[in-house]
């Protein structure tokens, strides 16, 4: 059976603000739980004023407290900015309070511009490779640092009986190789790279997976943007606003709010922008519930996975909530 998850960016609609966006994320998580989704993840973005999700671990604490059984996770913590020791203790503290419900998703993207990277790293005196950070984090999470490790004897507290699931997020074979060598789950970001590399990355991950105390067998998840409405016509209106949001997000001046339907309908595009929109449409599944279900099932078959994560980055909280409800009903998640 195909499991569905949600990854939310906490987008800010026009006339709204950061606090309201975070409260909407909370309501969306509660709705996802009621509908039968397996996981609800939140992101890390900086200096993107149209997104409120800057600190996944703190938001995860709030979401776990606001729900009962759905798995809560990060999609993801941008590890190069932080100490592996601190990230391990954050995750173990969450797992101690909410056992068997915490997912630690990790990535190496900056999550912001150059100024953000400088601000988050200016006190670092010993830069480490991402690969080394992941190995350190795995050892600290599982209490299995190698005998000759530079931190041998260091313990990440609290000491707990369960472990958070560890996932490596990526869009290339580089990330899938790191996930495989550390016995972690692998989330392929189809919403970033929908062309070609995903199949090779997933294949390499499965072929080179080394069992660990985190996972005995390889586990693959695929993440994709999703725009869902009751009819294809309604979905087309929403996806045009998504097109404009994504175009602006990729520009030198990211949006401070999500574009409205009227704004998107009236927007005029040049040839380059039209080409970019056509390219970006490969990063999103959109349409009525039946069409999106078929597209998701095709995606799951393509990557040979039983777990898909949707990013319902849609204008308007009511539309986001409606989207995950329509999809859950189409898949019969609560049956």
């Amino acid at each position: 059976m195909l499991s569905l998850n949600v990854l939310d960016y906490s987008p800010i609609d026009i006339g709204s603000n950061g606090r309201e966006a975070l409260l909407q994320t909370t309501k969306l998580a509660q709705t996802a739980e009621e509908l039968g989704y397996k996981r609800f993840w939140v992101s890390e973005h900086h200096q993107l004023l149209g997104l409120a999700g800057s600190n996944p671990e703190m938001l995860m604490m709030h979401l776990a407290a606001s729900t009962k059984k759905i798995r809560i996770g990060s999609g993801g913590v941008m590890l190069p900015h932080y100490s592996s020791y601190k990230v391990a203790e954050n995750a173990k503290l969450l797992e101690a309070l909410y056992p068997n419900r915490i997912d630690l998703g990790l990535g190496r993207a900056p999550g912001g511009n150059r100024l953000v990277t400088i601000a988050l790293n200016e006190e670092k005196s010993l830069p480490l490779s991402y690969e080394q950070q992941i190995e350190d984090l795995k050892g600290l999470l599982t209490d299995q640092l190698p005998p000759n490790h530079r931190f041998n004897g260091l313990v990440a507290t609290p000491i707990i009986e369960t472990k958070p699931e560890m996932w490596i997020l990526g869009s290339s074979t580089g990330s899938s190789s790191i996930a495989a060598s550390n016995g972690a789950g692998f989330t392929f970001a189809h919403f970033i790279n929908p062309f070609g590399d995903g199949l090779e990355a997933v294949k390499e991950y499965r072929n080179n997976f080394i069992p660990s105390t985190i996972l005995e067998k390889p586990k693959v998840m695929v993440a994709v943007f999703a725009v869902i409405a009751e009819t294809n016509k309604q979905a087309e209106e929403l996806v045009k606003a998504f097109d404009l949001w994504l175009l602006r997000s990729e520009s030198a001046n990211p949006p401070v709010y999500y574009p409205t339907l009227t704004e998107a309908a009236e927007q005029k595009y040049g040839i380059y922008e039209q080409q970019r929109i056509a390219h970006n449409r490969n990063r999103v599944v959109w349409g009525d519930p039946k069409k999106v279900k078929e597209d998701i099932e095709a995606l799951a078959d393509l990557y040979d996975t039983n777990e898909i994560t949707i990013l319902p980055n849609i204008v308007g909280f009511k539309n986001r909530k409606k989207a995950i409800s329509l999809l859950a009903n189409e898949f019969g998640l609560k049956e």
Side-chain angles (χ1 to χ4, degrees), residues 24-190:
Q24 289 171 350
T25 289
T26 305
K27 292 176 184 176
L28 197 66
Q30 292 167 336
T31 301
E33 179 174 67
E34 293 170 2
L35 292 169
Y37 284 83
K38 183 177 181 180
R39 310 175 196 268
F40 190 94
W41 286 10
V42 288
S43 62
E44 177 180 341
H45 291 98
H46 305 282
Q47 196 69 7
L48 296 178
L49 305 186
L51 303 176
S54 60
N55 191 318
E57 297 110 315
M58 290 191 70
L59 186 51
M60 286 166 63
M61 178 70 78
H62 173 69
L63 295 177
S66 302
T67 53
K68 297 178 180 178
K69 60 182 180 180
I70 192 170
R71 294 191 67 92
I72 300 296
S74 56
V77 172
M78 297 300 121
L79 186 59
H81 294 316
Y82 311 113
S83 152
S84 294
Y85 184 49
K86 184 61 174 176
V87 172
E89 291 201 319
N90 286 346
K92 292 183 77 172
L93 181 63
L94 283 163
E95 179 69 18
L97 292 170
Y98 306 100
N100 298 309
R101 289 188 58 202
I102 301 302
D103 296 331
L104 178 60
L106 303 157
R108 58 175 150 188
N113 59 23
R114 181 174 176 273
L115 187 62
V116 166
T117 300
I118 293 171
L120 288 171
N121 293 273
E122 67 175 349
E123 294 182 358
K124 280 191 177 180
S125 59
L126 183 64
L128 297 170
S129 69
Y130 181 59
E131 291 82 352
Q132 183 64 58
Q133 281 193 292
I134 292 290
E135 290 176 14
D136 293 347
L137 181 53
K138 175 195 171 185
L140 291 163
L141 275 181
T142 59
D143 302 313
Q144 293 180 329
L145 287 172
N148 61 345
H149 195 277
R150 69 190 187 286
F151 290 147
N152 187 34
L154 183 67
V155 176
T157 57
I159 298 172
I160 52 178
E161 294 181 0
T162 60
K163 297 180 180 66
E165 285 193 9
M166 181 172 159
W167 291 81
I168 307 300
L169 286 59
S171 58
S172 67
T173 54
S175 296
S176 66
S177 296
I178 294 171
S181 63
N182 286 281
F186 178 57
T187 300
F188 179 71
H190 184 91

Side-chain angles (χ1 to χ4, degrees), residues 290-307:
K290 183 176 183 295
K291 177 180 180 296
V292 172
K293 180 175 185 285
E294 291 173 352
D295 289 344
I296 284 177
E297 289 175 335
L299 201 62
D301 288 342
L302 179 66
Y303 289 101
D304 190 22
T305 180
N306 63 354
E307 197 160 349

